């Protein structure tokens, strides 16, 4: 049986371990060293900003799960990984982003715009036709085509997220990524919400996948990490140079925590996704709830697309209350089991009213709550929410 014949749930446990030999450690050791003995006089890369064996296991596991042909690149945080992609664009470039997407990824693109490097275009990713029309316009404006695409310095970069943070909109990824490739547009997908077990954008036509490994990959809300994965050697080299030059590298202990965490992602996600669906179903029926978005809910507008491109629907849902911002804040404060905190993808359930962040767009309802479902008992989670909902007014 080749590694490829093993299921993803097995590969994430079996991958990235030391070679089989007598008395080999079962887990890769942590390399607490800032430099390594050089391979020979021509070796200039054996410094711990360039490489650290502590990164290898997690880089291998995530790359394997994403179906990439090259090892991933680990970073100090999800945003360091996002920067390694967005910073590649040259002066005069265009970055296309969903109108709802992780706000710091938008801020980063807007900073590039403010510095005169890029123009930012926002996309309604649920409307595939309008996205493709914007891609065509951008390709024509920048003069890119599949013949002249520069992966190390993309003149047009498509940034995608599906499901989106926090609106849970689902894009038709094969259609959009396929159109981008045909036009010579480099595409990146932030796959943090879906996880590498839930969706594999490289196999759907993306050039690079980015994860905040802080979330479901590490899974315990105890470490910040990011990772990029690609099968394109030019793109990988450019991101590697970015990491080495800018120095946003993962610490060896953090990398070890990430690898330790990813071993249980299969069971964690199975439980969380199952509970997320149950909560989405049950909360849809509560009179104080106006809308629930979860891609695994058969009534969700994204359900068909998600079913075609996702293997599991993940642990995140959004819920919009029939309430004011103040009432929503009071509800969050009244919860006993759910922790009011930003972040997601950990074993503990977290809840957050997203519009409390000034940088979230006004098209996100004031009373929208993002729920990250952990691995607690689903009835306990539901009862905590319902007790607060029943006391809303
Ligand atoms: C979708 C998404 N991408 C990227 C990030 C940034 O990751 P980090 O906080 O690890 O820098 C986050 C963090 O919340 C996120 O939700």
């Amino acid at each position: 049986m080749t590694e490829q014949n093993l299921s993803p749930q097995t590969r994430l446990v079996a991958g990235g371990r030391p070679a089989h030999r007598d008395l080999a450690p079962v887990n890769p050791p942590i390399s607490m060293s800032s430099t390594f003995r050089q391979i020979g006089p021509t070796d200039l890369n054996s410094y711990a900003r360039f490489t650290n064996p502590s990164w290898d296991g997690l880089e291998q596991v995530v790359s394997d799960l994403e179906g990439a042909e090259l090892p991933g690149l680990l970073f100090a945080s999800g945003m360091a990984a996002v920067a390694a992609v967005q910073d590649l664009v040259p002066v005069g470039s265009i970055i296309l982003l969903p109108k709802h997407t992780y706000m710091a990824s938008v801020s980063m693109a807007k900073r590039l715009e403010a510095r005169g490097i890029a123009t930012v275009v926002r996309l309604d990713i649920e409307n595939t036709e309008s996205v493709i029309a914007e891609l065509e316009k951008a390709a024509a404006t920048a003069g890119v085509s599949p013949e002249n695409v520069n992966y190390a310095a993309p003149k047009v970069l498509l940034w995608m997220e599906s499901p989106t943070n926090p609106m849970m909109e689902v894009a038709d990824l094969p259609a959009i990524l396929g159109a981008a490739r045909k036009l010579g547009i480099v595409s990146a997908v932030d796959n943090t919400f879906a996880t590498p077990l839930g969706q594999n954008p490289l196999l759907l036509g993306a050039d690079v996948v980015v994860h905040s490994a802080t979330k479901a990959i590490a899974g315990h809300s105890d470490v910040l990490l990011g990772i990029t994965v690609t099968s394109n050697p030019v793109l990988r080299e450019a991101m590697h140079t970015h990491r080495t030059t800018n120095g946003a590298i993962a610490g060896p202990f953090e990398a070890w925590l990430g690898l330790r965490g990813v071993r249980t992602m299969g069971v964690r996600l199975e439980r969380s996704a199952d509970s997320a669906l149950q909560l989405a179903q049950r909360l849809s029926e509560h009179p104080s709830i106006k809308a629930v978005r979860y891609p695994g809910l058969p009534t969700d507008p994204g359900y068909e697309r998600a079913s075609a491109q996702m293997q599991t629907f993940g642990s995140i849902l959004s819920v919009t209350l029939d309430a004011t911002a103040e009432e929503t804040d009071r509800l969050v404060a009244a919860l006993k089991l759910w922790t009011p905190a930003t972040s997601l993808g950990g074993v503990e359930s977290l809840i957050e009213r997203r519009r409390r962040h000034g940088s979230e767009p006004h098209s996100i309802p004031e009373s929208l709550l993002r729920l990250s479902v952990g691995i607690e008992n689903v009835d306990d989670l539901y009862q905590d929410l319902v007790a607060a909902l029943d006391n809303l007014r």
Side-chain angles (χ1 to χ4, degrees):
M1 198 190 295
T2 68
E3 287 256 326
Q4 286 309 312
N5 289 333
L6 298 171
S7 74
Q9 285 79 2
T10 301
R11 299 207 309 268
L12 68 79
V13 176
R17 294 196 185 268
H20 293 191
R21 57 176 169 73
D22 289 349
L23 291 180
V26 170
N27 291 299
I30 306 176
S31 254
M32 298 299 284
S33 189
S34 63
T35 192
F36 301 90
R37 185 178 287 267
Q38 66 195 34
I39 295 169
T42 56
D43 172 19
L44 304 175
N45 296 333
S46 296
Y47 180 57
R49 186 157 34 77
F50 291 66
T51 184
N52 188 313
S54 310
W55 302 337
D56 298 350
L58 191 54
E59 290 182 338
Q60 279 166 24
V61 168
V62 177
S63 152
D64 173 47
L65 292 179
E66 287 288 11
E69 287 159 22
L70 299 168
L73 289 165
L74 199 60
F75 289 85
S77 68
M79 286 318 295
V82 173
V85 180
Q86 290 198 7
D87 272 357
L88 298 181
V89 302
V91 172
S93 56
I94 302 171
I95 306 179
L96 302 111
L97 299 109
K99 70 172 189 246
H100 303 126
T101 194
Y102 179 54
M103 56 194 178
S105 302
V106 178
S107 305
M108 190 179 284
K110 284 192 173 161
R111 288 184 65 210
L112 289 166
E113 188 171 50
R115 286 159 54 207
I117 293 169
T119 304
V120 171
V121 174
R122 307 301 291 275
L123 304 169
D124 175 1
I125 60 126
E126 285 185 311
N127 183 339
T128 309
E129 261 180 40
S130 75
V131 172
I132 294 177
E134 290 291 355
L135 293 177
E136 286 168 349
K137 215 187 322 170
T141 307
V144 296
S145 72
E147 286 72 45
N148 68 9
V149 50
N150 182 350
Y151 288 99
K155 278 181 88 177
V156 186
L157 175 68
L158 168 65
W159 190 265
M160 288 296 288
E161 220 181 77
S162 177
T164 56
N165 182 0
M167 292 291 269
M168 303 304 291
E169 298 143 320
V170 179
D172 183 341
L173 286 179
I176 292 171
L177 298 171
R181 185 156 290 178
K182 274 202 197 126
L183 291 162
I185 293 175
V186 175
S187 61
V189 177
D190 183 334
N191 206 26
T192 302
F193 266 37
T195 86
L197 284 175
Q199 177 173 276
N200 298 131
L202 295 181
L203 307 181
L204 302 173
D207 293 307
V208 56
V209 166
V210 174
H211 284 280
S212 166
T214 309
K215 316 297 187 201
I217 289 175
H220 294 75
S221 305
D222 53 9
V223 65
L224 268 84
L225 284 170
I227 192 160
T228 63
V229 182
T230 182
S231 294
N232 182 313
V234 177
L235 198 41
R236 187 180 186 281
E237 184 56 31
M239 294 187 298
H240 186 261
T241 302
H242 187 281
R243 181 176 74 178
T244 303
T245 311
N246 291 279
I249 56 159
F253 182 61
E254 284 74 8
W256 180 87
L257 275 176
L259 184 61
R260 177 185 156 119
V262 82
R263 301 300 189 197
T264 56
M265 186 168 64
V267 284
R268 283 189 278 109
L269 196 65
E270 206 174 297
R271 167 73 160 241
S272 293
D274 189 52
S275 299
L277 176 60
Q278 285 194 50
L279 290 174
Q281 280 165 335
R282 292 198 224 172
L283 292 172
S284 302
E285 283 155 25
H286 196 281
S288 296
I289 289 186
K290 268 207 299 217
V292 174
R293 289 289 315 252
Y294 180 67
L297 200 59
T299 50
D300 190 273
Y303 178 72
E304 249 177 65
R305 279 181 189 166
S307 304
Q309 66 199 23
M310 297 180 81
Q311 287 83 49
T312 74
F313 300 111
S315 59
I316 322 293
L317 62 145
S318 77
V319 164
T320 305
L321 306 188
D322 185 9
T324 62
E326 294 69 31
E327 287 167 335
T328 309
D329 283 339
R330 273 207 300 280
L331 175 132
V332 168
L335 294 167
K336 295 188 167 55
L337 182 55
W338 293 77
T339 302
T342 198
S343 203
L344 52 106
V347 292
E348 59 290 291
S349 294
L350 305 181
I351 190 163
E352 186 182 27
R353 188 175 74 82
R354 287 300 288 181
R355 277 290 297 284
R356 73 195 181 97
H357 298 276
S359 51
E360 284 288 21
H362 287 195
S363 45
I364 293 171
E366 283 278 15
S367 62
L368 180 140
L369 292 169
R370 187 183 72 190
L371 279 66
S372 171
V373 182
I375 61 169
E376 304 92 336
N377 177 283
V378 66
D379 293 321
D380 292 340
L381 289 172
Y382 178 69
Q383 290 309 331
D384 194 30
L385 288 169
V386 163
L389 280 166
D390 290 345
N391 285 324
L392 193 57
R393 292 200 179 89

